[in-house]
mmCIF file of all heavy atoms in Angstrom:
data_model
loop_
_atom_site.group_PDB
_atom_site.id
_atom_site.type_symbol
_atom_site.label_atom_id
_atom_site.label_comp_id
_atom_site.label_asym_id
_atom_site.label_seq_id
_atom_site.Cartn_x
_atom_site.Cartn_y
_atom_site.Cartn_z
ATOM 1 N N LEU A 259 82.918 55.637 37.075
ATOM 2 C CA LEU A 259 82.626 56.574 35.994
ATOM 3 C C LEU A 259 82.458 58.010 36.485
ATOM 4 O O LEU A 259 82.443 58.936 35.675
ATOM 5 C CB LEU A 259 81.346 56.158 35.261
ATOM 6 C CG LEU A 259 81.391 54.852 34.458
ATOM 7 C CD1 LEU A 259 80.039 54.581 33.815
ATOM 8 C CD2 LEU A 259 82.475 54.905 33.400
ATOM 9 N N LYS A 260 82.358 58.190 37.788
ATOM 10 C CA LYS A 260 81.978 59.503 38.316
ATOM 11 C C LYS A 260 83.000 60.586 37.994
ATOM 12 O O LYS A 260 82.643 61.720 37.693
ATOM 13 C CB LYS A 260 81.759 59.417 39.825
ATOM 14 C CG LYS A 260 80.501 58.640 40.196
ATOM 15 C CD LYS A 260 80.287 58.632 41.708
ATOM 16 C CE LYS A 260 78.996 57.896 42.077
ATOM 17 N NZ LYS A 260 78.774 57.847 43.540
ATOM 18 N N ASP A 261 84.284 60.267 38.082
ATOM 19 C CA ASP A 261 85.313 61.303 37.940
ATOM 20 C C ASP A 261 86.017 61.255 36.586
ATOM 21 O O ASP A 261 87.011 61.947 36.379
ATOM 22 C CB ASP A 261 86.355 61.154 39.057
ATOM 23 C CG ASP A 261 85.726 61.282 40.435
ATOM 24 O OD1 ASP A 261 84.818 62.109 40.566
ATOM 25 O OD2 ASP A 261 86.138 60.544 41.349
ATOM 26 N N ILE A 262 85.538 60.411 35.673
ATOM 27 C CA ILE A 262 86.208 60.283 34.374
ATOM 28 C C ILE A 262 85.754 61.411 33.456
ATOM 29 O O ILE A 262 84.569 61.592 33.212
ATOM 30 C CB ILE A 262 85.906 58.918 33.733
ATOM 31 C CG1 ILE A 262 86.538 57.800 34.575
ATOM 32 C CG2 ILE A 262 86.422 58.856 32.305
ATOM 33 C CD1 ILE A 262 86.291 56.412 34.033
ATOM 34 N N SER A 263 86.716 62.144 32.921
ATOM 35 C CA SER A 263 86.395 63.246 32.017
ATOM 36 C C SER A 263 86.684 62.901 30.560
ATOM 37 O O SER A 263 86.046 63.408 29.655
ATOM 38 C CB SER A 263 87.187 64.501 32.407
ATOM 39 O OG SER A 263 88.587 64.225 32.398
ATOM 40 N N GLN A 264 87.689 62.024 30.338
ATOM 41 C CA GLN A 264 88.036 61.698 28.957
ATOM 42 C C GLN A 264 86.980 60.782 28.346
ATOM 43 O O GLN A 264 86.338 60.007 29.038
ATOM 44 C CB GLN A 264 89.417 61.034 28.872
ATOM 45 C CG GLN A 264 89.532 59.683 29.558
ATOM 46 C CD GLN A 264 90.044 59.816 30.971
ATOM 47 O OE1 GLN A 264 89.721 60.780 31.650
ATOM 48 N NE2 GLN A 264 90.840 58.862 31.406
ATOM 49 N N PRO A 265 86.793 60.882 27.028
ATOM 50 C CA PRO A 265 85.763 60.057 26.383
ATOM 51 C C PRO A 265 86.146 58.585 26.359
ATOM 52 O O PRO A 265 87.318 58.224 26.362
ATOM 53 C CB PRO A 265 85.718 60.635 24.958
ATOM 54 C CG PRO A 265 87.085 61.211 24.749
ATOM 55 C CD PRO A 265 87.507 61.746 26.095
ATOM 56 N N ALA A 266 85.119 57.727 26.346
ATOM 57 C CA ALA A 266 85.358 56.292 26.200
ATOM 58 C C ALA A 266 85.590 55.984 24.732
ATOM 59 O O ALA A 266 85.220 56.753 23.842
ATOM 60 C CB ALA A 266 84.159 55.507 26.713
ATOM 61 N N PHE A 267 86.231 54.848 24.467
ATOM 62 C CA PHE A 267 86.391 54.417 23.084
ATOM 63 C C PHE A 267 85.806 53.025 22.921
ATOM 64 O O PHE A 267 85.734 52.247 23.860
ATOM 65 C CB PHE A 267 87.856 54.473 22.634
ATOM 66 C CG PHE A 267 88.804 53.626 23.421
ATOM 67 C CD1 PHE A 267 89.089 52.323 23.036
ATOM 68 C CD2 PHE A 267 89.437 54.136 24.557
ATOM 69 C CE1 PHE A 267 89.973 51.545 23.752
ATOM 70 C CE2 PHE A 267 90.324 53.364 25.271
ATOM 71 C CZ PHE A 267 90.596 52.065 24.875
ATOM 72 N N GLN A 268 85.383 52.746 21.711
ATOM 73 C CA GLN A 268 84.703 51.500 21.417
ATOM 74 C C GLN A 268 85.677 50.333 21.460
ATOM 75 O O GLN A 268 86.775 50.394 20.916
ATOM 76 C CB GLN A 268 84.058 51.564 20.030
ATOM 77 C CG GLN A 268 83.012 50.496 19.788
ATOM 78 C CD GLN A 268 81.667 50.870 20.391
ATOM 79 O OE1 GLN A 268 81.555 51.871 21.072
ATOM 80 N NE2 GLN A 268 80.654 50.070 20.138
ATOM 81 N N HIS A 269 85.276 49.260 22.152
ATOM 82 C CA HIS A 269 86.107 48.055 22.155
ATOM 83 C C HIS A 269 85.972 47.371 20.803
ATOM 84 O O HIS A 269 84.928 47.464 20.149
ATOM 85 C CB HIS A 269 85.663 47.106 23.275
ATOM 86 C CG HIS A 269 86.717 46.141 23.666
ATOM 87 N ND1 HIS A 269 86.930 44.968 22.982
ATOM 88 C CD2 HIS A 269 87.643 46.171 24.654
ATOM 89 C CE1 HIS A 269 87.934 44.323 23.535
ATOM 90 N NE2 HIS A 269 88.382 45.027 24.551
ATOM 91 N N PRO A 270 87.026 46.643 20.355
ATOM 92 C CA PRO A 270 86.942 45.991 19.039
ATOM 93 C C PRO A 270 85.762 45.053 18.861
ATOM 94 O O PRO A 270 85.367 44.776 17.741
ATOM 95 C CB PRO A 270 88.274 45.220 18.963
ATOM 96 C CG PRO A 270 89.213 46.020 19.805
ATOM 97 C CD PRO A 270 88.374 46.551 20.924
ATOM 98 N N ASP A 271 85.193 44.523 19.966
ATOM 99 C CA ASP A 271 84.056 43.614 19.776
ATOM 100 C C ASP A 271 82.783 44.349 19.362
ATOM 101 O O ASP A 271 81.800 43.732 18.965
ATOM 102 C CB ASP A 271 83.796 42.802 21.046
ATOM 103 C CG ASP A 271 83.450 43.668 22.240
ATOM 104 O OD1 ASP A 271 82.795 44.693 22.066
ATOM 105 O OD2 ASP A 271 83.838 43.296 23.359
ATOM 106 N N GLY A 272 82.791 45.704 19.459
ATOM 107 C CA GLY A 272 81.675 46.499 18.985
ATOM 108 C C GLY A 272 80.541 46.669 19.959
ATOM 109 O O GLY A 272 79.675 47.519 19.758
ATOM 110 N N CYS A 273 80.495 45.869 21.027
ATOM 111 C CA CYS A 273 79.371 45.929 21.967
ATOM 112 C C CYS A 273 79.744 46.546 23.303
ATOM 113 O O CYS A 273 78.861 46.754 24.137
ATOM 114 C CB CYS A 273 78.811 44.523 22.199
ATOM 115 S SG CYS A 273 78.041 43.802 20.742
ATOM 116 N N LEU A 274 81.009 46.774 23.542
ATOM 117 C CA LEU A 274 81.455 47.299 24.820
ATOM 118 C C LEU A 274 82.229 48.592 24.613
ATOM 119 O O LEU A 274 82.740 48.867 23.522
ATOM 120 C CB LEU A 274 82.357 46.283 25.536
ATOM 121 C CG LEU A 274 81.757 44.906 25.840
ATOM 122 C CD1 LEU A 274 82.790 44.033 26.535
ATOM 123 C CD2 LEU A 274 80.498 45.032 26.690
ATOM 124 N N GLN A 275 82.284 49.378 25.686
ATOM 125 C CA GLN A 275 83.123 50.564 25.697
ATOM 126 C C GLN A 275 84.245 50.376 26.719
ATOM 127 O O GLN A 275 84.090 49.637 27.696
ATOM 128 C CB GLN A 275 82.309 51.808 26.057
ATOM 129 C CG GLN A 275 81.493 52.352 24.900
ATOM 130 C CD GLN A 275 80.865 53.688 25.233
ATOM 131 O OE1 GLN A 275 80.696 54.043 26.399
ATOM 132 N NE2 GLN A 275 80.510 54.457 24.210
ATOM 133 N N VAL A 276 85.360 51.044 26.480
ATOM 134 C CA VAL A 276 86.493 50.994 27.389
ATOM 135 C C VAL A 276 86.727 52.401 27.926
ATOM 136 O O VAL A 276 86.863 53.355 27.152
ATOM 137 C CB VAL A 276 87.762 50.468 26.686
ATOM 138 C CG1 VAL A 276 88.937 50.454 27.658
ATOM 139 C CG2 VAL A 276 87.518 49.079 26.122
ATOM 140 N N HIS A 277 86.755 52.528 29.238
ATOM 141 C CA HIS A 277 87.029 53.802 29.900
ATOM 142 C C HIS A 277 88.415 53.749 30.530
ATOM 143 O O HIS A 277 88.730 52.804 31.270
ATOM 144 C CB HIS A 277 85.989 54.084 30.996
ATOM 145 C CG HIS A 277 84.595 54.237 30.485
ATOM 146 N ND1 HIS A 277 84.056 55.453 30.149
ATOM 147 C CD2 HIS A 277 83.632 53.316 30.243
ATOM 148 C CE1 HIS A 277 82.799 55.285 29.733
ATOM 149 N NE2 HIS A 277 82.525 53.989 29.782
ATOM 150 N N LEU A 278 89.229 54.736 30.229
ATOM 151 C CA LEU A 278 90.536 54.828 30.871
ATOM 152 C C LEU A 278 90.357 55.466 32.244
ATOM 153 O O LEU A 278 89.763 56.543 32.373
ATOM 154 C CB LEU A 278 91.494 55.656 30.017
ATOM 155 C CG LEU A 278 91.791 55.064 28.634
ATOM 156 C CD1 LEU A 278 92.735 55.961 27.855
ATOM 157 C CD2 LEU A 278 92.391 53.674 28.772
ATOM 158 N N LEU A 279 90.855 54.813 33.271
ATOM 159 C CA LEU A 279 90.622 55.246 34.645
ATOM 160 C C LEU A 279 91.638 56.286 35.075
ATOM 161 O O LEU A 279 92.793 56.287 34.626
ATOM 162 C CB LEU A 279 90.690 54.030 35.576
ATOM 163 C CG LEU A 279 89.704 52.898 35.259
ATOM 164 C CD1 LEU A 279 89.891 51.749 36.238
ATOM 165 C CD2 LEU A 279 88.265 53.398 35.295
ATOM 166 N N THR A 280 91.203 57.150 35.966
ATOM 167 C CA THR A 280 92.117 58.150 36.514
ATOM 168 C C THR A 280 93.092 57.484 37.475
ATOM 169 O O THR A 280 92.888 56.352 37.917
ATOM 170 C CB THR A 280 91.336 59.237 37.260
ATOM 171 O OG1 THR A 280 90.707 58.635 38.411
ATOM 172 C CG2 THR A 280 90.273 59.860 36.371
ATOM 173 N N GLU A 281 94.138 58.188 37.801
ATOM 174 C CA GLU A 281 95.134 57.630 38.718
ATOM 175 C C GLU A 281 94.508 57.345 40.082
ATOM 176 O O GLU A 281 94.822 56.341 40.724
ATOM 177 C CB GLU A 281 96.310 58.596 38.869
ATOM 178 C CG GLU A 281 97.455 58.026 39.688
ATOM 179 C CD GLU A 281 98.677 58.921 39.687
ATOM 180 O OE1 GLU A 281 98.698 59.903 38.919
ATOM 181 O OE2 GLU A 281 99.611 58.647 40.452
ATOM 182 N N ALA A 282 93.597 58.211 40.517
ATOM 183 C CA ALA A 282 92.938 57.992 41.811
ATOM 184 C C ALA A 282 92.107 56.712 41.782
ATOM 185 O O ALA A 282 92.088 55.942 42.747
ATOM 186 C CB ALA A 282 92.059 59.195 42.158
ATOM 187 N N GLN A 283 91.429 56.464 40.679
ATOM 188 C CA GLN A 283 90.625 55.251 40.575
ATOM 189 C C GLN A 283 91.498 54.004 40.503
ATOM 190 O O GLN A 283 91.163 52.960 41.053
ATOM 191 C CB GLN A 283 89.730 55.344 39.334
ATOM 192 C CG GLN A 283 88.636 56.396 39.457
ATOM 193 C CD GLN A 283 88.064 56.791 38.121
ATOM 194 O OE1 GLN A 283 88.698 56.610 37.086
ATOM 195 N NE2 GLN A 283 86.867 57.355 38.125
ATOM 196 N N GLN A 284 92.619 54.124 39.817
ATOM 197 C CA GLN A 284 93.536 52.990 39.728
ATOM 198 C C GLN A 284 94.090 52.620 41.101
ATOM 199 O O GLN A 284 94.427 51.459 41.357
ATOM 200 C CB GLN A 284 94.687 53.313 38.776
ATOM 201 C CG GLN A 284 94.264 53.493 37.331
ATOM 202 C CD GLN A 284 95.430 53.836 36.424
ATOM 203 O OE1 GLN A 284 96.516 53.279 36.575
ATOM 204 N NE2 GLN A 284 95.227 54.760 35.498
ATOM 205 N N ASN A 285 94.196 53.585 41.980
ATOM 206 C CA ASN A 285 94.772 53.357 43.303
ATOM 207 C C ASN A 285 93.733 52.936 44.338
ATOM 208 O O ASN A 285 94.050 52.838 45.522
ATOM 209 C CB ASN A 285 95.504 54.615 43.781
ATOM 210 C CG ASN A 285 96.749 54.894 42.966
ATOM 211 O OD1 ASN A 285 97.375 53.969 42.452
ATOM 212 N ND2 ASN A 285 97.118 56.164 42.834
ATOM 213 N N ARG A 286 92.504 52.686 43.900
ATOM 214 C CA ARG A 286 91.456 52.214 44.804
ATOM 215 C C ARG A 286 91.143 50.759 44.509
ATOM 216 O O ARG A 286 91.157 50.321 43.364
ATOM 217 C CB ARG A 286 90.171 53.033 44.621
ATOM 218 C CG ARG A 286 90.217 54.450 45.163
ATOM 219 C CD ARG A 286 88.957 55.196 44.771
ATOM 220 N NE ARG A 286 87.740 54.461 45.115
ATOM 221 C CZ ARG A 286 86.553 54.683 44.561
ATOM 222 N NH1 ARG A 286 86.426 55.609 43.614
ATOM 223 N NH2 ARG A 286 85.495 53.971 44.936
ATOM 224 N N TYR A 287 90.848 49.997 45.552
ATOM 225 C CA TYR A 287 90.375 48.636 45.367
ATOM 226 C C TYR A 287 88.944 48.678 44.825
ATOM 227 O O TYR A 287 88.132 49.514 45.235
ATOM 228 C CB TYR A 287 90.411 47.864 46.684
ATOM 229 C CG TYR A 287 91.798 47.432 47.093
ATOM 230 C CD1 TYR A 287 92.585 48.237 47.910
ATOM 231 C CD2 TYR A 287 92.322 46.214 46.657
ATOM 232 C CE1 TYR A 287 93.867 47.845 48.289
ATOM 233 C CE2 TYR A 287 93.599 45.808 47.027
ATOM 234 C CZ TYR A 287 94.364 46.628 47.847
ATOM 235 O OH TYR A 287 95.628 46.233 48.202
ATOM 236 N N ALA A 288 88.658 47.768 43.892
ATOM 237 C CA ALA A 288 87.333 47.751 43.278
ATOM 238 C C ALA A 288 86.255 47.217 44.218
ATOM 239 O O ALA A 288 85.082 47.552 44.062
ATOM 240 C CB ALA A 288 87.369 46.916 41.990
ATOM 241 N N LEU A 289 86.639 46.370 45.174
ATOM 242 C CA LEU A 289 85.669 45.755 46.080
ATOM 243 C C LEU A 289 85.649 46.476 47.426
ATOM 244 O O LEU A 289 86.682 46.578 48.086
ATOM 245 C CB LEU A 289 86.025 44.282 46.318
ATOM 246 C CG LEU A 289 85.504 43.256 45.323
ATOM 247 C CD1 LEU A 289 85.979 41.865 45.736
ATOM 248 C CD2 LEU A 289 83.996 43.293 45.253
ATOM 249 N N PRO A 290 84.499 46.929 47.881
ATOM 250 C CA PRO A 290 84.406 47.420 49.264
ATOM 251 C C PRO A 290 84.439 46.239 50.225
ATOM 252 O O PRO A 290 84.119 45.109 49.857
ATOM 253 C CB PRO A 290 83.057 48.142 49.287
ATOM 254 C CG PRO A 290 82.265 47.502 48.213
ATOM 255 C CD PRO A 290 83.238 47.091 47.145
ATOM 256 N N PRO A 291 84.792 46.458 51.485
ATOM 257 C CA PRO A 291 84.927 45.352 52.447
ATOM 258 C C PRO A 291 83.676 44.491 52.580
ATOM 259 O O PRO A 291 83.769 43.273 52.681
ATOM 260 C CB PRO A 291 85.253 46.077 53.754
ATOM 261 C CG PRO A 291 85.911 47.351 53.323
ATOM 262 C CD PRO A 291 85.225 47.748 52.049
ATOM 263 N N ALA A 292 82.497 45.113 52.556
ATOM 264 C CA ALA A 292 81.269 44.335 52.749
ATOM 265 C C ALA A 292 81.047 43.352 51.599
ATOM 266 O O ALA A 292 80.657 42.198 51.816
ATOM 267 C CB ALA A 292 80.074 45.278 52.876
ATOM 268 N N THR A 293 81.290 43.786 50.374
ATOM 269 C CA THR A 293 81.123 42.896 49.222
ATOM 270 C C THR A 293 82.186 41.818 49.219
ATOM 271 O O THR A 293 81.916 40.661 48.849
ATOM 272 C CB THR A 293 81.171 43.710 47.918
ATOM 273 O OG1 THR A 293 80.249 44.789 48.006
ATOM 274 C CG2 THR A 293 80.823 42.845 46.718
#
Side-chain angles (χ1 to χ4, degrees):
L259 293 179
K260 289 183 178 179
D261 301 323
I262 294 180
S263 57
Q264 64 266 35
F267 60 92
Q268 196 81 354
H269 201 277
D271 61 35
C273 294
L274 301 179
Q275 281 188 339
V276 179
H277 297 267
L278 298 179
L279 302 179
T280 66
E281 186 173 351
Q283 291 161 338
Q284 294 179 40
N285 292 330
R286 288 173 51 200
Y287 284 92
L289 274 180
T293 308

